[in-house]
Amino acid sequence: MREHEYLQCLHFNSLRLPSGGFANMSLPIVLAVDDADKDRIGAAPDVALAGPDGELLAVLRSVEIYPHNKEERIARTWGTTAPGLPYVDEAIAPAGNWLIGGDLEVLQPIKYNDGLDHYRLSPQQLRDEFDKRGADAVFAFQLRNPVHNGHALLMNDTRRRLLEMGFKNPILLLHPLGGFTKADDVPLPVRMEQHSKVLEDGVLDPETTIVSIFPSPMHYAGPTEVQWHAKARINAGANFYIVGRDPAGMGHPTEKRDLYNPDHGKKVLSMAPGLEKLNILPFKVAAYDTVAKKMAFFEPSRSQDFLFISGTKMRTFAKTGENPPDGFMCPGGWKVLVDYYNSLQTEGATAPAAATV
């Protein structure tokens, strides 16, 4: 982003288009440079952008360099400058004190060469795939955790509801987040393998499901970030978006409370300018029904029959080798998680002991 775009994004959560209209844009897309980079660029009008291996990927033309006021960026994006915000610590605090923007000319698609590039479909590729499958509705579901049967219940129920509304061929866009996540989240390659098992085991129908990686980093910026998540899915062709409690939220980094009001994400989405094309589908709460012995939608009238298994508890089960209740997750998907945590324990057991000084 150039500075005028960056300021619109920070202060208005939107960008003015050449046509005179506005587009929702709640998170800035920027590139930081340090003093040495700034001096090296000097008065050059164009800057080449290279990948980690030095391969030329794009050219930024007619560049401008402007100050990176980190405190302002953090305060306006997160609503706080409290220490311990994961993405701030990872990507903003150590970044350079300048931002560089310009007209971007992309020379070739970005490749990660990690065995997952076939999942990284561009918005246009996704739209083409929806057309190929004859979709008359596309409903998107974002997650950064393994898919359990409660998620699947919600997604399958959403498709049922869309069919009842008169749509003939609703297609699910299962769009796991593929950028930065917190250290205790399950890594992307493991999640993608787990998702493939969910389709193999028939928990989700491969004919009506498209799995694609959403490459954005997770900011954990609550209602501000969830607008970006929604806008990106509109670009990809979705017209329905499943939103749950506290989307893109997190616990306060220094206090024992949620950083954001858990209901504000979906409320903001229902009012956000520029997102009118997207129909928001509230997330129905699913939990393990100890009577039916399966994941089911929570019924307050018999709350004593339901067991809530959080992501933390799920990871603890997998780490300790304890199986969750039957019907919580498909066997193939659960094995992927257990194998991953077993591999971590094996690595820890074989790592050389630290030297004593």
Side-chain angles (χ1 to χ4, degrees), residues 9-332:
C9 178
L10 276 192
H11 292 270
F12 310 138
N13 280 5
S14 63
L15 288 175
R16 185 184 293 276
L17 302 174
S19 63
F22 288 89
N24 188 284
M25 193 71 209
S26 61
L27 291 181
I29 298 177
V30 292
L31 178 60
V33 295
D34 58 24
D35 291 346
D37 287 331
K38 179 176 179 290
D39 291 342
R40 188 156 55 95
I41 293 167
D46 305 327
V47 172
L49 302 181
D53 59 358
E55 185 178 16
L56 185 63
L57 299 175
V59 178
L60 202 57
R61 300 195 181 279
S62 303
V63 301
E64 64 172 288
I65 297 177
Y66 54 97
H68 185 192
N69 185 333
K70 298 177 186 179
E71 183 178 27
E72 179 186 32
R73 179 182 174 188
I74 295 164
R76 288 201 164 270
T77 302
W78 281 268
T80 180
T81 56
L85 298 169
Y87 187 71
V88 170
D89 292 345
E90 173 74 15
I92 296 181
N97 292 323
W98 305 93
L99 299 175
I100 183 169
D103 302 327
L104 186 64
E105 178 187 350
V106 179
L107 304 178
Q108 58 180 306
I110 304 297
K111 298 293 183 184
Y112 290 70
N113 299 315
D114 58 356
L116 301 176
D117 283 328
H118 62 288
Y119 285 116
R120 293 185 175 92
L121 303 179
S122 70
Q124 187 58 57
Q125 288 174 316
L126 285 170
R127 287 175 175 270
D128 291 344
E129 184 63 27
F130 297 142
D131 289 343
K132 180 180 174 182
R133 298 199 189 193
D136 58 352
V138 175
F139 59 107
F141 186 73
Q142 172 178 296
L143 70 170
R144 61 177 190 269
N145 288 307
V147 174
H148 58 61
N149 288 352
H151 295 136
L153 173 67
L154 175 64
M155 290 181 268
N156 288 327
D157 183 70
T158 299
R159 188 170 196 275
R160 177 191 62 77
R161 288 160 58 195
L162 291 174
L163 288 169
E164 289 179 350
M165 290 167 61
F167 294 100
K168 303 300 182 184
N169 188 26
I171 296 293
L172 165 65
L173 171 59
L174 185 62
H175 219 191
L177 193 129
F180 165 80
T181 56
K182 292 188 293 183
D184 60 348
D185 283 333
V186 178
L188 178 64
V190 180
R191 285 187 278 130
M192 297 310 296
E193 183 182 359
Q194 194 269 349
H195 297 348
S196 71
K197 294 298 182 184
V198 169
L199 270 69
E200 283 181 23
D201 287 0
V203 177
L204 295 174
D205 184 357
E207 296 298 316
T208 58
T209 303
I210 295 174
V211 182
S212 177
I213 293 172
F214 178 48
S216 180
M218 191 71 195
H219 288 58
Y220 305 93
T224 296
E225 182 175 16
V226 78
Q227 294 176 70
W228 158 246
H229 292 168
K231 177 252 180 69
R233 277 37 186 254
I234 294 175
N235 289 354
N239 47 4
F240 291 90
Y241 188 45
I242 303 172
V243 177
R245 179 185 181 276
D246 199 19
M250 59 173 280
H252 194 285
T254 61
E255 301 175 18
K256 291 186 176 180
R257 62 179 177 86
D258 290 332
L259 183 54
Y260 307 103
N261 183 303
D263 294 323
H264 282 183
K266 58 187 176 185
K267 287 182 178 179
V268 165
L269 281 185
S270 70
M271 302 181 288
L275 300 181
E276 294 84 2
K277 294 179 181 178
L278 198 64
N279 299 283
I280 305 304
L281 300 173
F283 195 114
K284 297 171 70 175
V285 178
Y288 187 77
D289 187 333
T290 58
V291 176
K293 298 192 182 306
K294 65 178 183 178
M295 297 297 287
F297 290 125
F298 178 68
E299 299 177 30
S301 61
R302 56 184 192 95
S303 59
Q304 71 279 1
D305 294 334
F306 286 87
L307 177 66
F308 286 90
I309 302 174
S310 65
T312 301
K313 192 167 187 177
M314 176 189 69
R315 290 190 291 270
T316 300
F317 280 148
K319 289 175 184 176
T320 60
E322 181 181 353
N323 287 323
D326 288 343
F328 172 72
M329 185 182 291
C330 66

